[in-house]
Structures are given as C-alpha cells and as structure tokens.
Amino acid sequence: MKQRLLLIAIAFLIVACSSSLKKASISSPNEAITVNFNLTEKGEPTYQVLFKNKVVVDTSFLGFEFTDAEPLKDNFEIKAFGTVSKNDPWEMPWGEQLKVENEYNELIVFLIEKDTERSVNVIFRVHDDGIGLRYEFQQQDGWTEALIKEEKTQFNLTQDYKTFWIPGDWDIYEHLYNTTKLSEIDALQFANHKDLAQTSIPNNAVNTPVTLVGDDGLHLSFHEAGLVDYSGMTLGVDTENLSFESILVGSDNTEYKVKRQIPFKTPWRTIQITDNAPDLIASNLIVNLNEPTKIHDMSWFTPMKYTGVWWEMHLGKSSWDYGMTQNMSTWTDTGGAHGKHGATTENVKRFIDFSAKNNIGGVLVEGWNTGWEHWIGFEDREGVFDFVTPYPDYDLDGVTRYAKEKGVEIIMHHETSSATETYTKQMDTAYALMQKYGMHSVKSGYVGKILPKGEYHHGQYMVNHYNNAAIKAAKYQVAVNAHEPIKATGLRRTYPNIISREGLRGQEFNAWSSDGGNPPEHLPIVAFTRMLAGPIDYTPGIFNIKFDEYKPNNQVNTTIAQQLALYVVIYSPIQMAADLVEHYEANPEPFQFIKDVGVDWQQTKVLNGEVGDYVTIARQERETGNWFVGGITNENARTLDITFDFLDENQKYEAIIYKDGENAHWDDNPLDIIIEKIDVNKGSDLSVKLAEGGGFAISIKKLD
Ligand code: NOJ
Ligand code: CA
C-alpha cells in the first residue's frame, strides 16, 4: 500500500496519429539514453538507442514469424503512440538493498498492419541504467492464438566489443565464459569442446546475460526480464555485421517455439547501458521491469547461511544413494555405495550441531529420499524419485525435531532428475510435508535431459514448470532455490519466494570437472554477467582448497581469502558454508568471517571493478548496520585502494581484514592468509594486495 502511494504518474499521453507519422522518441529521466522508433518506407518497425548522443544500437528491425500465419514485419502504420513517466520506488523484502529507485519514461507504439488490421504494440521503457523493450499482442478480431515460430528482435551494434559470453545452449548455463571480440564469437566451436558434447545449440548463439565492453568505456549487457509463459531467448550472433538477433529456445515436439492465447505481453528484452563496470552491478533494471510483489507476507522466509550434506558427495567421501533398493518392505544391497550414504541421522545431526554453534541458520540434506539408485544416466527416470520417503537410515521426524530444538532449519532437497511429470504430480504432497515440518526452503534440481523427451530446460514448457513450481511452493510458504534452472529474469520481485538459483558453473565443478574446474577469471566475469540477472547459489567457503585426500586431480582455483570474499561479492539471500565440518574446525580464524558475515543487505556499493579482472563490493547488513566488504581478482595479482566513505559520520568501527598473505597464490600457496584488526571511520583509506586468484574480505563492526 505504502509503495502504491509513492507511485507518482507525472504524465500520461496518448496521441492518435495521422498515417504520415512514422517516428517517436523517448529518453531516460536523466536524458542520457534515448530510444528512437521509426517506421521505414515499407512500414517495417525499427528502433535505435543512443547513449550520451552516441548511437549504441543502430537501426534494428522488430518482428515475428508464426507457424500458421504470415510474419509480422512490415506494412505497418502507427495507429497511435503513448508516453508515460513514472517514479515507482519499492522495497525488497530481502535483497542487495532495501530501497530501490525505479524511475522511467515509457513509449508505447500502437502498430496496425495495413491490409490485415492485425495489431501489435511495441513498448519501450527507458531508465537511467538501460532500456527494456517488449511486444504486446492486444485483443483483436480474428486472432486468438499466436503460434510463434521465431521472434525477430535485432540489436544492431556499432563497435566490435570485447564480449563475455557463454554459448546459447538450450539445456544448460554451466559453461565457462569466453572472452572474444564480438566478431570472433564462435559458440558452436566452443560448445563442441570435448566435455560439452551433449549441448544443443542450433546456431552461433549466446545465452544471456552477455556483457560487452567498448574501447570508449561503454558497457552493455543484454538479457531479458519477466520471463513468463514464453521460451527463453538466446541471441544469434552475426559476426560480420556486429549484431544480435533473438533466437527463442524451441522444442522437438512442436513446430512453434511459443504458444500463447492473445492478449499477452512478451518478456522484456533488456540492455543495461553504463559507462563503467561497477554501475552494471548497481543497476536494478531487471528487477524494476518486473511486476510488483504478489506475495505480501514473506515474514516466514529468513535469509540465512547454511551448511549441508553436499560437498562430501561431490568429493566422493559419501554418496547420495543408500546403495540398496526396496522391494515391498525388503531392502536389497545393490552393491554400489552402500555404507557410504551421506544423509544419515548421525551425520545430519553433526551438521546441525555445528551450524547451531556458529550462527548458521540452515542445514541442507541431499540424498535423504529414495530414488538415488536410478537417477543420473537412466532414460526411464519418471516415477523414480519420491519426495516424501526417507531412506531407512534417516530419521526425518527425529532430525527435524532435533534441528528445531537447536534453532536450525532443515533445507529440503528435491532432485527431480528432470522427470518433470513425476515432480509435478508430487509437488503438493512434497510441499505439504515441508510445511508440516516447518521447512521453508527447498533446493530443487534438474539434472539430465528433460522428460518429456524433446523439451529443453529453457523452452516454454520448462519456463512454465519452474514458474508454476515456485508459485505453488509459495502457497505452502516454501522458498525455492533451483539448480539447473531457467535463467533469473527478476521474477523475484513478483515472487520473492524465488530466492536463489544456480544457472552457472558453480563450485561443484571444482570438485570433479575434468577440465580443472573454474579458472580464477571465472567469478570476476560472473559478477558482471550472470550476477546481473539475480542471486546465485554458488556455494562458497571451501577451505580445504586442494582436497588431495579425496580428489588429487582437482582443486579450487582461488585462495582461501577469495573464498571468504565471495560471501559479499556473489549475492544470494542463502549462502552456503559449503566445506566439511572438519575443515572449518581445523581453521577457526578464517572461519570467524563466515560466522560474522551478513546475508541480508540494507545497501550495496560497488567500489571498483573491471569485467573479468576484479571487483570490490561493500554491503551493509540490514539488522545491525555493520558493513562487509569483499574483493576478488582473476589470475593477476593487484593492489586495490579502498576509501571507507560509505561509513556513517562520527561512528567508530572495528575492521577485521582477511587478506592474501605475502606468498599467497591460488595454485602454489592458496592457504596463505593474513588476518588483522584495525579501527576505521568514514573516509579512512586502505590499500590491499590481492594475490593471483586471490581476494580479501573485511567485516566492519560498529564500536560503541
Ligand atoms: C547438481 C546440483 O548443482 C548439485 O548442487 C547437486 O548436489 C546435484 N545436482 C544433486 O542434486
Ligand atoms: Ca549443477
């Protein structure tokens, strides 16, 4: 209600047009960004985007192809256009900041096809940090259903940008980023890399967010917002003409890629536009373009840190499966992993005790339920997983009670193995079980090819599956953290129970990937690409960096100080302390940072950064007003200078600095860390040396 009262509509104008009118323009509130809409001689809709008077998107065409109708692309007239200006600030129930500014100017162009009278509207919303553009199919005579074969939205660029991209895979975002010139993007070649053989990329396309940096310091990031009942958009790359064009994710089961009843609106196609890297992270364009919340009471969800029965499976110390299968009431040994099962009552209690002792609110338990004997590598995965039946060595009832007594919440785990029909059937029962036990968040997983066959993780079928799961979960006061998810598009504003997700190469790759895991440049790229879309469940905090006793050929490719920095740099309202209890117990000094660090923020300041090189972020904890700072670098050592100008005036603070030791190096000496205490106040300066693949973390507490 309060938010609604703040809504100030400054102007609203609809102008009916004579058939000669072919142009309309709209600028951002600060006038730095301008969008020009133009109809060509042939009546083709086009637009252009200028930033500080420079063309950044040159004349680009808009349109659609359908499986059962002529394309929408030319022969249009402008029936009318409308503009509206709004200042619509809002508050995040949890997030990187409490208060979000949201001021924009909007242009709606009402288009009508001359002969057929089919109509479509193009809407441009221009904020100070970028633009959104979407199509609206209004109710119209004789057209009730759109069967979209392809959306033809172009982004015709004007420079050969340095581009940070992953291939436009229809199933998975878990790729390493490539850094090339726009003209040198070769997504097909990249995807055919030996261990990415199961990818499905029909064209030279990239997934979004894709971030571009110009020689002149211009930064652009392309993505989408409000992805609802539509398929995900990849961007086809024309390396000769330096342009992108939308390629929607399809299905092998239908000729169309999207089926919608008219009226409907497409997701927003977004371009974040800044003249420096830090402002990309500060941008709220993606969430702002989404609808206000539909869940008014989120008091049941508390942002929290969590530990869990998880890393030990990725290291091979224990297994998800029980190693026995049940026939009627008889358990038969399947050979395999019996005896190594991780989710036992005893083991989970160990994590509960450790969490309770260390200011950690949650414990994730993977492998607690039946079905793990028959998930990965099996075609017939429907009907296998059961989301209510624990293995016999896991006392769900007793463990949940024990956790409650200790003030810790068990985090549910639902690995669907992409058997979507089984999961859909069981959702109500599974979420009801959680509600009964007072569990308020679930980590879901979609490993493997989607069932039904022919659907892809990022197509319309799955977009609806992920969204419907979250909407249903909310009814049971359950928040969702999906792995192998659809991309984040800011829907957390509308459904704040969508708390976090994977959707990138997470920490787990360091445990088992045959290519050596995530290189030191990975997260300094992620911060300016994937993270612009929304919260990331990266699962930081690995202290036993080399874990030779488990996997001599794998390791984490950062220093231990960088692992701490990630709690601040990589945002999520749930942050895992991912390592094994014994590895934390062996390192109490650095662990103090994980104990102390906040997870819910009043405000965020991006202090410095360059895409792919380094970034430093300061965040103020909501509850306490204390600050935490994290900085990370790629494979290059560097010194970063920080000014504490974000602190309160006339307030003394104690800062504990966790930084790379003199000889630290992500590979040669990752555990070398220096921890020191200093007093700071507003305006104090600090110079910090980051090692190769290193970082630093600072907790800054108010002194009385
Ligand atoms: C892949 C997820 O990313 C990982 O976190 C999880 O442990 C496994 N799937 C099993 O569900
Ligand atoms: Ca994964």
Side-chain angles (χ1 to χ4, degrees), residues 174 484 502 508:
E174 295 175 13
E484 301 78 40
E502 191 187 39
E508 64 192 41

PDB file of all heavy atoms in Angstrom, residues 174 484 502 508, ligand 2:
ATOM      1  N   GLU A 174      25.804 -24.052 -17.574  1.00  0.00           N
ATOM      2  CA  GLU A 174      27.025 -24.376 -16.825  1.00  0.00           C
ATOM      3  C   GLU A 174      28.231 -24.466 -17.759  1.00  0.00           C
ATOM      4  O   GLU A 174      28.814 -25.529 -17.953  1.00  0.00           O
ATOM      5  CB  GLU A 174      26.805 -25.662 -16.028  1.00  0.00           C
ATOM      6  CG  GLU A 174      25.731 -25.477 -14.954  1.00  0.00           C
ATOM      7  CD  GLU A 174      25.383 -26.745 -14.205  1.00  0.00           C
ATOM      8  OE1 GLU A 174      26.129 -27.726 -14.327  1.00  0.00           O
ATOM      9  OE2 GLU A 174      24.362 -26.751 -13.498  1.00  0.00           O
ATOM     10  N   GLU A 484      20.189 -26.162 -12.080  1.00  0.00           N
ATOM     11  CA  GLU A 484      19.857 -26.406 -13.486  1.00  0.00           C
ATOM     12  C   GLU A 484      18.532 -25.686 -13.790  1.00  0.00           C
ATOM     13  O   GLU A 484      17.571 -26.282 -14.264  1.00  0.00           O
ATOM     14  CB  GLU A 484      19.751 -27.908 -13.812  1.00  0.00           C
ATOM     15  CG  GLU A 484      21.023 -28.694 -13.542  1.00  0.00           C
ATOM     16  CD  GLU A 484      21.223 -28.997 -12.059  1.00  0.00           C
ATOM     17  OE1 GLU A 484      20.249 -29.311 -11.365  1.00  0.00           O
ATOM     18  OE2 GLU A 484      22.371 -28.882 -11.583  1.00  0.00           O
ATOM     19  N   GLU A 502      21.033 -21.702  -9.279  1.00  0.00           N
ATOM     20  CA  GLU A 502      22.361 -21.966  -9.817  1.00  0.00           C
ATOM     21  C   GLU A 502      22.419 -21.254 -11.172  1.00  0.00           C
ATOM     22  O   GLU A 502      22.424 -20.034 -11.217  1.00  0.00           O
ATOM     23  CB  GLU A 502      22.573 -23.476  -9.915  1.00  0.00           C
ATOM     24  CG  GLU A 502      23.990 -23.876 -10.207  1.00  0.00           C
ATOM     25  CD  GLU A 502      24.093 -25.381 -10.456  1.00  0.00           C
ATOM     26  OE1 GLU A 502      23.200 -25.949 -11.098  1.00  0.00           O
ATOM     27  OE2 GLU A 502      25.078 -25.971 -10.025  1.00  0.00           O
ATOM     28  N   GLU A 508      30.759 -26.722  -7.491  1.00  0.00           N
ATOM     29  CA  GLU A 508      30.849 -28.187  -7.633  1.00  0.00           C
ATOM     30  C   GLU A 508      31.797 -28.611  -8.754  1.00  0.00           C
ATOM     31  O   GLU A 508      32.423 -29.660  -8.669  1.00  0.00           O
ATOM     32  CB  GLU A 508      29.455 -28.776  -7.857  1.00  0.00           C
ATOM     33  CG  GLU A 508      28.802 -28.326  -9.155  1.00  0.00           C
ATOM     34  CD  GLU A 508      27.309 -28.682  -9.249  1.00  0.00           C
ATOM     35  OE1 GLU A 508      26.610 -28.529  -8.230  1.00  0.00           O
ATOM     36  OE2 GLU A 508      26.862 -29.078 -10.325  1.00  0.00           O
TER      37      GLU A 508
HETATM   38 CA    CA B   2      24.502 -28.072 -11.362  1.00  0.00          CA
END
